[in-house]
C-alpha cells in the first residue's frame, strides 16, 4: 500500500460558520447551538460558540480570512473507537462458517482455529503486510469520522511479535494523521509454546516483554484478558503491578464470560476502564464508581457471540458510571468496522439513549483512553477534530443501520474528507 501524505490535505484553518452544534459538542449536558461557529487557527480550536457571541475582531486578530460555510450541518466532536484489536494477520471467516454449520469450540480448535490461528498468522506476516491489512480495516472507521483509536497488541504473544504489532499501530497514526493510543495486551492468551505454563508466561510478560516495550515508547496502556479461559485474578494483578511500576495506565477485559471480580481489582488499581462487563456485579459497579473507572460496552462481540447476558446498563446509569461504546474490532468475535453501527446496536440491544450513545463515542470514549483533555469535545486549545454531518438531528447518527453519511471530517486540523 502506498504511503498516504496526510500533511497534503487542506488545512482547516479559518472560520466555520452556519453550524448546528450538537448538545454533546461542547459539554455532555450543554444545549444545542443552532447557529454555531468554530474558529480554527494553526490546527487548533481557537474559539467555539454561538455566532452572536463571537468576538468581532477575532478573525482579524488571528489573521484568518478563509470562511467555511457549514450549511447548517450537525457538528459533533470527532469520534473515538476506544477498544480495538486492529493489527493482526489472517482472518477467521471460515470459523464463522463452521460455527453456523454446528461446529463447537473444541472442534474449531482441533481444526487449528481460535486465537491460536490468529497468533500463527500474525507471526507469519511481515510488518508491512500487517500494516497494509490494518490500514484497509482502518479506512472505514476514518470514513465515518473516527479521529482517535485505541489499538491493542495481543496476537504476537512474544516480545518480537508484540513489538511489531505495536510498531504498526504507531505507524498507522503517523501515516493517517489520527490519534492512536497503543495498549499492550501480552496477557491475552497463552502462546502455544507456553501451553500448561501460565505462570511462566506471565513472568515473561512482566519481567521482559512489558519493560522492554515500555522502554521503547511503544506502550500507552496495559490490558489483561481476565477470565477463566484467560488469566486469573492473581496473574492479572501481577501484570497490573508491573505496569504500575512503569507508570502505565491500566485497562481490563472484565466480566465478559463470567463474574471473576476483575472489575473490583481493576478499580482498586485505578484502571481507566473495564470492558465488556456483561457479568458485572453490584460490587463491581460500586468499585468502579468509587475509582472513576469507566464501563466500555462492546455490542459487536455480544451480538456476534449470540450472548444473552446483558450488561447491567440501568445499574451503571443509576450509579453514575460513565459508559463508552466501541467496535472491539477483532477477527474472532467482533469483525466490526462501523462505530455508527455500534451506536445503533448499543441503543437497540443495550437500551442506551441517543445522548448516551453519542457520549459513548466522544467524551466518554476519550476518558476511557485518558485523552479527555485533548479529545471528545470541541473546546478552545484542543486539536481541531470535529465532524459535519448531513443532518440536523443527532438521533439520525444512531437511528440508521448501514447508512454511510457523506460527512466532512476535520481531523488533527486538516480537512480529511471533503466530498
Amino acid at each position: 500500500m502506498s504511503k498516504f501524505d496526510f500533511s497534503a490535505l487542506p488545512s482547516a484553518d479559518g472560520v466555520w460558520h452556519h453550524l448546528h452544534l450538537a448538545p454533546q459538542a461542547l459539554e455532555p449536558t450543554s444545549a444545542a447551538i443552532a447557529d454555531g461557529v468554530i474558529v480554527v487557527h494553526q490546527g487548533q480550536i481557537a474559539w467555539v460558540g454561538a455566532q452572536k457571541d463571537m468576538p468581532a475582531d477575532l478573525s482579524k486578530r488571528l489573521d484568518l480570512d478563509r470562511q467555511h460555510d457549514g450549511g447548517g450541518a450537525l457538528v459533533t466532536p470527532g469520534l473515538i473507537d476506544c477498544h480495538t484489536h486492529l493489527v493482526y494477520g489472517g482472518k477467521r471467516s471460515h470459523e464463522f462458517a463452521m460455527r453456523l454449520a454446528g461446529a463447537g469450540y473444541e472442534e474449531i480448535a482441533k481444526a487449528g482455529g481460535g486465537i491460536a490461528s490468529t497468533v500463527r498468522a500474525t507471526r507469519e506476516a511481515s510488518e508491512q503486510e500487517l500494516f497494509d491489512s490494518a490500514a484497509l480495516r482502518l479506512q472505514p472507521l476514518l470514513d465515518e469520522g473516527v479521529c482517535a483509536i485505541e489499538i491493542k497488541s495481543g496476537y504476537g504473544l512474544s516480545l518480537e511479535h508484540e513489538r511489531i504489532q505495536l510498531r504498526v499501530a504507531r505507524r498507522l497514526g503517523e501515516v493517517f494523521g489520527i490519534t492512536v493510543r497503543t495498549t499492550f495486551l501480552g496477557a491475552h492468551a497463552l502462546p502455544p509454546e507456553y501451553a500448561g505454563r501460565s505462570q511462566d508466561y506471565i513472568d515473561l510478560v512482566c519481567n521482559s516483554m512489558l519493560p522492554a516495550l515500555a522502554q521503547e515508547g511503544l506502550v500507552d496502556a496495559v490490558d489483561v484478558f481476565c477470565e477463566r479461559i484467560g488469566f486469573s485474578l492473581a496473574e492479572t494483578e501481577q501484570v497490573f503491578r508491573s505496569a504500575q511500576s512503569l507508570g502505565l495506565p491500566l485497562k481490563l477485559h472484565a466480566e465478559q464470560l463470567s463474574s471473576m471480580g476483575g472489575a473490583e481489582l481493576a478499580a482498586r488499581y485505578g484502571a481507566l476502564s473495564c470492558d465488556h462487563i456483561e457479568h458485572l456485579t453490584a460490587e463491581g459497579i460500586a468499585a468502579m464508581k468509587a475509582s472513576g473507572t469507566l464501563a466500555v460496552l462492546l455490542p459487536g462481540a455480544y451480538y456476534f457471540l449470540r450472548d444473552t447476558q446483558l450488561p447491567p446498563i440501568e445499574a451503571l446509569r443509576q450509579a453514575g458510571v460513565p459508559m463508552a461504546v466501541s467496535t472491539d474490532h477483532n477477527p474472532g468475535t467482533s469483525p466490526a468496522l462501523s462505530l455508527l453501527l455500534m451506536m445503533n446496536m448499543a441503543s437497540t440491544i443495550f437500551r442506551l439513549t441517543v445522548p448516551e450513545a453519542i457520549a459513548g463515542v466522544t467524551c466518554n470514549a476519550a476518558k476511557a483512553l485518558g485523552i479527555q483533555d485533548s479529545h471528545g469535545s470541541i473546546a478552545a486549545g484542543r486539536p481541531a477534530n470535529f465532524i459535519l454531518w448531513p443532518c440536523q438531528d443527532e438521533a439520525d447518527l444512531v437511528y440508521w443501520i448501514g447508512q454511510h453519511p457523506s460527512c466532512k471530517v476535520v481531523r488533527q486540523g486538516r480537512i480529511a474528507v471533503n466530498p
Side-chain angles (χ1 to χ4, degrees):
M1 180 176 182
S2 60
K3 184 173 180 178
F4 174 71
D5 184 9
F6 176 76
S7 65
L9 291 171
S11 168
D13 282 12
V15 180
W16 295 75
H17 56 97
H18 295 162
L19 307 176
H20 182 86
L21 299 176
Q24 294 81 11
L26 308 181
E27 297 290 346
T29 56
S30 68
I33 298 177
D35 193 11
V37 173
I38 298 174
V39 180
V40 180
H41 178 57
Q42 296 181 353
Q44 304 282 315
I45 304 293
W47 190 86
V48 59
Q51 175 75 57
K52 64 181 179 60
D53 298 326
M54 180 180 168
D57 64 340
L58 184 59
S59 294
K60 184 176 181 180
R61 282 193 283 115
L62 296 178
D63 193 26
L64 295 173
D65 56 6
R66 187 173 183 187
Q67 301 289 314
H68 303 270
D69 189 342
L74 176 74
V75 176
T76 68
L79 305 187
I80 301 168
D81 199 351
C82 65
H83 180 130
T84 84
H85 307 251
L86 199 70
V87 177
Y88 56 85
K91 60 178 182 175
R92 284 159 62 187
S93 56
H94 61 290
E95 292 180 27
F96 179 61
M98 289 176 67
R99 217 165 29 244
L100 293 177
Y105 179 85
E106 186 175 352
E107 183 179 348
I108 292 173
K110 285 181 177 178
I115 191 173
S117 67
T118 301
V119 172
R120 183 168 57 251
T122 301
R123 290 179 173 183
E124 291 173 353
S126 70
E127 185 165 340
Q128 186 61 45
E129 287 170 336
L130 290 174
F131 176 85
D132 289 346
S133 63
L136 290 174
R137 293 187 283 267
L138 177 61
Q139 192 59 57
L141 297 169
L142 297 178
D143 292 344
E144 286 189 346
V146 169
C147 292
I149 188 169
E150 186 240 29
I151 301 177
K152 302 180 190 290
S153 64
Y155 288 123
L157 306 185
S158 71
L159 177 56
E160 174 191 0
H161 295 101
E162 290 286 298
R163 175 185 287 122
I164 290 172
Q165 277 195 279
L166 293 168
R167 208 156 54 200
V168 167
R170 283 274 191 256
R171 185 179 164 202
L172 288 168
E174 295 165 0
V175 170
F176 288 94
I178 181 174
T179 299
V180 170
R181 300 293 288 179
T182 57
T183 297
F184 172 67
L185 184 57
H188 190 196
L190 273 181
E193 63 270 23
Y194 277 85
R197 296 190 293 134
S198 179
Q199 185 57 58
D200 289 344
Y201 180 64
I202 288 296
D203 289 343
L204 177 73
V205 165
C206 295
N207 301 330
S208 177
M209 295 168 65
L210 178 53
L213 296 171
Q215 176 66 31
E216 294 167 25
L218 291 173
V219 181
D220 294 322
V222 176
D223 194 355
V224 178
F225 182 41
C226 181
E227 194 56 70
R228 290 191 176 93
I229 63 171
F231 295 94
S232 69
L233 282 173
E235 291 165 336
T236 299
E237 186 166 18
Q238 184 178 340
V239 177
F240 278 5
R241 286 197 301 267
S242 180
Q244 197 173 62
S245 72
L246 295 167
L248 293 168
L250 301 168
K251 301 173 73 67
L252 189 66
H253 281 65
E255 332 295 24
Q256 179 186 10
L257 305 175
S258 61
S259 178
M260 289 272 293
E264 292 97 308
L265 175 65
R268 193 160 73 246
Y269 278 83
L272 291 171
S273 70
C274 289
D275 303 26
H276 287 289
I277 52 124
E278 282 86 348
H279 292 264
L280 182 64
T281 64
E283 292 76 14
I285 293 173
M288 291 170 65
K289 170 63 176 176
S291 67
T293 300
L294 270 81
V296 176
L297 307 175
L298 304 173
Y302 179 94
Y303 167 83
F304 200 79
L305 292 172
R306 300 179 182 177
D307 205 344
T308 58
Q309 177 69 42
L310 287 165
I313 301 299
E314 185 56 34
L316 288 164
R317 186 182 286 136
Q318 292 299 321
V321 175
M323 294 176 282
V325 176
S326 183
T327 62
D328 186 24
H329 177 83
N330 73 82
T333 62
S334 187
L337 289 171
S338 171
L339 197 53
L340 293 178
L341 177 59
M342 295 304 102
M343 292 165 66
N344 176 277
M345 292 173 70
S347 297
T348 55
I349 300 175
F350 294 165
R351 301 294 189 268
L352 262 60
T353 65
V354 167
E356 286 173 337
I358 295 176
V361 298
T362 54
C363 58
N364 287 346
K367 292 174 185 175
L369 295 182
I371 58 173
Q372 64 271 22
D373 292 338
S374 57
H375 292 71
S377 64
I378 302 171
R382 297 186 172 205
N385 290 299
F386 56 88
I387 311 168
L388 280 67
W389 302 96
C391 60
Q392 291 190 336
D393 187 346
E394 58 269 20
D396 282 336
L397 305 182
V398 183
Y399 164 75
W400 292 101
I401 300 174
Q403 185 190 53
H404 299 285
S406 180
C407 57
K408 179 178 288 185
V409 181
V410 172
R411 183 181 298 114
Q412 305 284 47
R414 298 278 178 177
I415 302 175
V417 177
N418 191 5

